[in-house]
Amino acid sequence: MSHAYVIGHITVKDPQRWADYRSQVPATLAPWGGELVFRGARLGDLAGRQPHADVVVIRFPDQAALDAWHASPAYQALIPLRTAAADIVLTAYGT
């Protein structure tokens, strides 16, 4: 596996809290080599129905780095803010 990705499907509940959460995430990624690939808003559903309006894709060098980031105290400390700010489904993928 050459890279590991986190894809988040997001419905924002509290824009101010979401902005606060988003501003803090990059610092949690850096120690693990994580980088934001893109953030975007749904333009439309082409097949099926995606209930979340926004998406984020984050790339890591490998699954070990992805897992270490997610388990890190820095990221874990942000989860209560994330939960208050948005409904989100995070899924890990490998290439």
Side-chain angles (χ1 to χ4, degrees):
M1 189 177 315
S2 60
H3 288 98
Y5 295 84
V6 171
I7 298 179
H9 295 279
I10 305 150
T11 298
V12 175
K13 299 185 292 191
D14 183 326
Q16 184 61 39
R17 285 184 177 165
W18 183 246
D20 188 24
Y21 167 80
R22 282 182 45 185
S23 72
Q24 296 181 59
V25 170
T28 72
L29 298 173
W32 312 107
E35 62 178 306
L36 179 67
V37 176
F38 73 88
R39 282 190 182 111
R42 182 180 65 223
L43 297 175
D45 294 322
L46 301 177
R49 165 105 171 82
Q50 169 54 264
H52 297 288
D54 297 321
V55 67
V56 64
V57 178
I58 302 168
R59 179 176 43 230
F60 290 89
D62 52 37
Q63 183 179 353
L66 184 157
D67 291 341
W69 162 75
H70 190 263
S72 71
Y75 186 70
Q76 288 294 308
L78 293 179
I79 291 176
L81 178 58
R82 182 192 76 199
T83 301
D87 292 326
I88 185 167
V89 176
L90 291 180
T91 307
Y93 292 92
T95 61

